[in-house]
Amino acid sequence: WFVYWLGDANQGLSLTEEALDLARSLGDRAQEAEILGDLGDIARGSGDVKRAEACYSASLALWQDLGEESRVTWNWMLLAWAAEVRGDLVRAEALATKALQRFRDDEDAEGIAAVLRRLGSLARHQGDLEQAAACFAEEIALDEELGRPSRVAIGTALLGDIQRERGDLAAARTLF
């Protein structure tokens, strides 16, 4: 997996697939679920939404069987991304909303921030700029609390885009 992200996509994918085979042969279901998530990330990074979704779905099923609720919730968020990219905004919103509720119940600020960005994107795609702005603003506040300046910058740029789309160029300029 790391080899892939370091720039050798073919070797990284091959080694990750070998690791999956090994985890399966050992019966290590948690490692299998983890590696399936890694393969989903690799597929996502290379633009293969169908494979990413298949990997995330398989990972989700394993995490559910293992009772790893936190991992289940993150997989809902990843599957919401895939559904959004495929244009299934209803499924994407349902999965993201379910993930948001679980993250809120667990008081997982990082998870809440991540899913708020997804929900903001969904609202924007559906033309609900007020909801999108609210999601991005809450995400920015959480990322500031978490000390994640790069995520604050991205969220602020997204909020600036919303202001521009609303026609409020003065507000947009303050955010870019």
Side-chain angles (χ1 to χ4, degrees):
W1 183 80
F2 290 110
V3 174
Y4 175 87
W5 295 114
L6 291 174
D8 190 343
N10 292 331
Q11 181 69 11
L13 178 59
S14 177
L15 289 171
T16 306
E17 288 172 338
E18 286 180 34
L20 178 61
D21 291 341
L22 181 59
R24 285 178 171 160
S25 71
L26 294 172
D28 188 340
R29 297 177 75 218
Q31 193 61 44
E32 179 182 354
E34 182 73 33
I35 295 168
L36 281 164
D38 292 343
L39 286 169
D41 291 345
I42 290 170
R44 179 181 181 174
S46 66
D48 188 346
V49 177
K50 185 176 181 180
R51 182 162 190 209
E53 187 170 29
C55 290
Y56 293 145
S57 292
S59 179
L60 171 66
L62 287 167
W63 289 127
Q64 286 173 323
D65 287 349
L66 294 168
E68 293 286 341
E69 295 304 318
S70 173
R71 304 308 285 274
V72 166
T73 309
W74 278 103
N75 273 270
W76 288 339
M77 225 272 293
L78 294 166
L79 288 167
W81 162 82
E84 181 180 6
V85 171
R86 284 189 300 95
D88 187 350
L89 302 183
V90 172
R91 177 169 165 69
E93 186 171 6
L95 286 164
T97 300
K98 187 163 55 167
L100 179 61
Q101 186 57 57
R102 174 80 58 80
F103 284 138
R104 287 195 192 282
D105 290 348
D106 293 345
E107 299 180 3
D108 180 340
E110 184 177 325
I112 294 167
V115 80
L116 283 168
R117 181 172 297 172
R118 175 71 37 225
L119 286 166
S121 175
L122 284 163
R124 184 178 182 188
H125 281 121
Q126 295 171 336
D128 188 346
L129 299 181
E130 294 298 320
Q131 182 61 33
C135 288
F136 292 142
E138 186 178 352
E139 177 218 343
I140 292 164
L142 285 170
D143 283 331
E144 285 175 339
E145 287 177 23
L146 292 167
R148 300 181 338 173
S150 64
R151 294 205 40 105
V152 169
I154 293 167
T156 301
L158 290 168
L159 189 55
D161 285 340
I162 296 298
Q163 297 297 11
R164 182 184 44 79
E165 290 172 27
R166 288 173 156 168
D168 189 347
L169 299 181
R173 274 194 280 285
T174 67
L175 297 167
F176 287 119

